[in-house]
Amino acid sequence: MSAVAALGRLRAAATGYAQPAATVRHRHLSDRPVVFVPYAMSGEAFAPLAALVGDDPAAPHLLIVPQPRDRDRRFGHVADLAAVLLPYLTEWLAKSETIERKNDDPYERAVDAPQIIVPSPAGIEYVRLLGRSTRFRRTDGEYAVHPDVPLLGRWCTYLAERARTPGSSLLLAMTDLLARTWATGQSDLENGELAALLGWIDPDPGRTGAETAREAEGAAPAGPATDPKFDERLAPMIAAYDHAQRADDPRAGARAEERIRDALGGELMPTWHRMWRGLELLRELPVGASVAGRWEIDRMSYSLFSADLAKPDSRPQPRTPGAVAAAQQLVRRETAQARLEAEQLRDDPLLMAEARLAGQAFRGDVVAVEADRMVTEPGKKQARPRPLLVLRTSDEPLMTLDTELECVERPKAKAKLVAVAESAQGGTLDVRLELTGGMGRGKTPEEGSVPETGELLTWTTAAPGFRGGPKWPEPEETPWTHGGPPDPDGGRPEGAAEDDDDPGAEEPWS
């Protein structure tokens, strides 16, 4: 934990009120998101019990499963959920724009994209399990399900995988959004409970945040796990429903189902209201400058997935990605993480202060400029302008030489760390930088592109730009242990396990 984060928690604990952990909002919020509050039966690997879902705070859809152990009921619940979510997930494709790509064909990118918000990271895991359990289901033959069930499963798998990309906003957890923006006087584990976390941030009138959070500790959980005390109340209702089904008594079954619905609605509605209140609080913050760029990437990903889904030969995502696909995913996520960290620093002065304390950024006055300096780089025939700057700062940059840097006040400026030495003034350092970008393409820097003496500038590590990455081998070029051909004859070595490559094979619900 950084010094700034620790200070925020200490102040929250001392005052009883949450403290700002960010000055801007670092995630995109849709004008019309869907809030999804799932509930699953305790004691089962994955047995949906209920869900509140919708894009209207005043009109949620309450979907229940009166007997979660009943396979037909479970998949009927997923079909009902698909009837609500699939139209929302696809309606954004109606408006698109043509995007040109260098060395590639243009594509249609949706002007906007859907956004689903769940109460906590456990809700994202629920979406992943929902996709895993449904995307391979057959729509004909024995154990057939509604055609929308495997389709929703593929969307859930996509959204859950996309949520693992740092900075993505297609599927978000409310507790993550709030904890990223406010510091409370409780632990990270306690911040995972929406009622207590929101109590710190939005206390009841006449109470401190700590008092409100303490009162909220006994509230219904935000799911998907249920409260054991609620399970004790629910069990007799499910038993009554089962008895009515065995006795073939529709009226008694309907009454039992209605009691189950009322009980589940009473458990879920407080979380539903907290979710929308959390969105109101987050919308009051200004949006970070880099959020729009990350949302463009989300829109691109959404559009490309939708286009692939519409192909006649499109197949469900594999249970386990191949070696090459997994390596590509890892590289993309690492790049996205580095870019997110750098962009958030530039957007948020509070995070920048934290980075300066950690030595990952520095701020100082320009005390010397060598604007006419020209350098012939290795492998180049023509000299290029490479001005030198000297910044005097009280920060201590903990960076290696040749680190690529970006300037907060001059977004186009790029530089390289050349040297760090003690200055003539006690308690400060002179940091020598070589400008490498943001000066135009001419033989001399564009007017005004080189900082002048006396400017106060902040420099931090540069966000990684687009890179093509290594040349990845084709799957068939990898060894048999990584999905490729096992030997020149095309057969696996004796004793090697066979992979189940049938995407239509039945997979257990769990």
Side-chain angles (χ1 to χ4, degrees):
M1 184 186 301
S2 69
V4 173
L7 177 61
R9 288 195 174 185
L10 288 172
R11 291 188 63 183
T15 63
Y17 295 95
Q19 302 296 311
T23 59
V24 299
R25 174 162 43 87
H26 293 285
R27 296 294 184 272
H28 173 82
L29 285 184
S30 171
D31 292 335
R32 191 166 65 87
V34 156
V35 168
F36 178 35
V37 184
Y39 244 32
M41 186 176 186
S42 299
E44 298 289 333
F46 185 65
L49 181 61
L52 267 181
V53 58
D55 59 3
D56 184 353
H61 300 270
L62 175 59
L63 310 175
I64 72 162
V65 186
Q67 178 44 277
R69 297 185 181 91
D70 185 321
R71 180 187 184 280
D72 293 335
R73 283 282 187 172
R74 289 200 306 256
F75 287 111
H77 169 78
V78 178
D80 293 340
L81 184 61
V84 177
L85 288 179
L86 288 179
Y88 174 80
L89 290 170
T90 56
E91 70 177 71
W92 308 91
L93 300 171
K95 294 182 179 181
S96 63
E97 54 190 357
T98 302
I99 302 299
E100 301 290 339
R101 292 187 288 183
K102 187 178 181 180
N103 301 325
D104 204 346
D105 296 332
Y107 77 101
E108 291 297 313
R109 184 177 70 190
V111 175
D112 206 349
Q115 184 178 66
I116 295 179
I117 303 179
V118 294
S120 67
I124 295 178
E125 176 65 10
Y126 181 98
V127 173
R128 187 192 70 81
L129 288 174
L130 182 61
R132 176 182 180 271
S133 303
T134 57
R135 70 179 185 272
F136 294 114
R137 294 294 167 182
R138 294 188 176 97
T139 58
D140 54 12
E142 191 177 11
Y143 304 119
V145 298
H146 191 280
D148 285 348
V149 170
L151 182 58
L152 179 62
R154 295 181 66 180
W155 273 108
C156 287
T157 299
Y158 163 72
L159 291 170
E161 285 298 309
R162 186 66 195 162
R164 298 176 66 183
T165 300
S168 174
S169 296
L170 291 179
L171 176 61
L172 295 170
M174 178 57 69
T175 53
D176 282 350
L177 291 171
L178 295 176
R180 186 179 291 116
T181 310
W182 285 279
T184 69
Q186 58 187 14
S187 67
D188 290 335
L189 182 62
E190 292 169 315
N191 281 341
E193 179 51 50
L194 179 60
L197 176 59
L198 194 61
W200 276 95
I201 299 168
D202 187 38
D204 294 334
R207 291 178 176 268
T208 66
E211 292 170 341
T212 305
R214 194 174 300 113
E215 290 291 329
E217 288 178 357
T226 56
D227 183 6
K229 293 182 180 179
F230 173 72
D231 293 340
E232 293 177 0
R233 291 196 295 115
L234 186 65
M237 301 180 197
I238 294 179
Y241 174 81
D242 288 341
H243 179 75
Q245 295 296 106
R246 289 192 299 268
D248 195 19
D249 188 343
R251 294 182 62 183
R255 288 194 299 270
E257 183 171 347
E258 189 61 29
R259 286 195 293 271
I260 294 172
R261 174 180 292 275
D262 292 342
L264 288 168
E267 283 287 292
L268 292 171
M269 282 305 295
T271 298
W272 176 264
H273 294 308
R274 292 186 185 104
M275 292 285 288
W276 290 103
R277 178 55 182 159
L279 288 172
E280 291 177 1
L281 295 172
L282 290 166
R283 285 199 174 100
E284 293 175 359
L285 296 172
V287 183
S290 62
V291 169
R294 294 194 292 274
W295 184 242
E296 282 187 5
I297 298 175
D298 276 333
R299 291 193 286 122
M300 176 191 70
S301 174
Y302 163 75
S303 302
L304 294 178
F305 172 76
S306 301
D308 180 74
L309 198 63
K311 294 178 181 178
D313 58 347
S314 179
R315 294 163 63 88
Q317 301 95 323
R319 293 181 180 88
T320 304
V324 175
Q328 290 172 332
Q329 287 179 359
L330 180 61
V331 169
R332 286 195 293 267
R333 289 169 184 168
E334 288 176 342
T335 302
Q337 181 65 41
R339 174 182 174 177
L340 175 65
E341 291 174 356
E343 289 179 342
Q344 288 184 155
L345 290 183
R346 294 201 306 271
D347 292 350
D348 197 328
L350 188 57
L351 296 185
M352 179 60 73
E354 185 173 321
R356 289 172 62 189
L357 284 174
Q360 300 304 306
F362 56 92
R363 188 182 190 196
D365 295 309
V366 179
V367 295
V369 179
E370 189 178 335
D372 299 331
R373 181 172 177 267
M374 303 290 288
V375 173
T376 303
E377 297 176 343
K380 304 289 185 179
K381 295 182 179 179
Q382 191 173 8
R384 302 291 299 171
R386 290 293 182 263
L388 281 178
L389 306 180
V390 178
L391 268 75
R392 186 156 294 166
T393 176
S394 57
D395 300 331
E396 184 178 1
L398 300 179
M399 308 170 185
T400 59
L401 299 183
D402 294 331
T403 296
E404 295 181 357
L405 303 170
E406 290 182 348
C407 184
V408 175
E409 292 78 11
R410 290 173 167 262
K412 293 182 179 180
K414 304 290 186 293
K416 182 172 63 174
L417 182 63
V418 175
V420 179
E422 292 187 3
S423 70
Q425 296 179 355
T428 60
L429 298 173
D430 282 348
V431 180
R432 187 179 293 268
L433 305 177
E434 178 184 270
L435 288 185
T436 58
M439 299 173 288
R441 296 181 177 271
K443 295 182 179 180
T444 58
E446 292 180 355
E447 184 177 356
S449 62
V450 178
E452 299 179 355
T453 303
E455 284 191 50
L456 181 62
L457 301 179
T458 307
W459 294 84
T460 184
T461 51
F466 173 78
R467 293 183 175 89
K471 183 178 180 181
W472 301 101
E474 295 297 328
E476 58 270 15
E477 296 175 356
T478 60
W480 70 268
T481 54
H482 292 69
D487 57 42
D489 297 328
R492 283 180 171 80
E494 185 177 354
E498 291 282 348
D499 290 332
D500 180 9
D501 295 326
D502 178 15
E506 288 291 329
E507 182 177 356
W509 182 269
S510 60

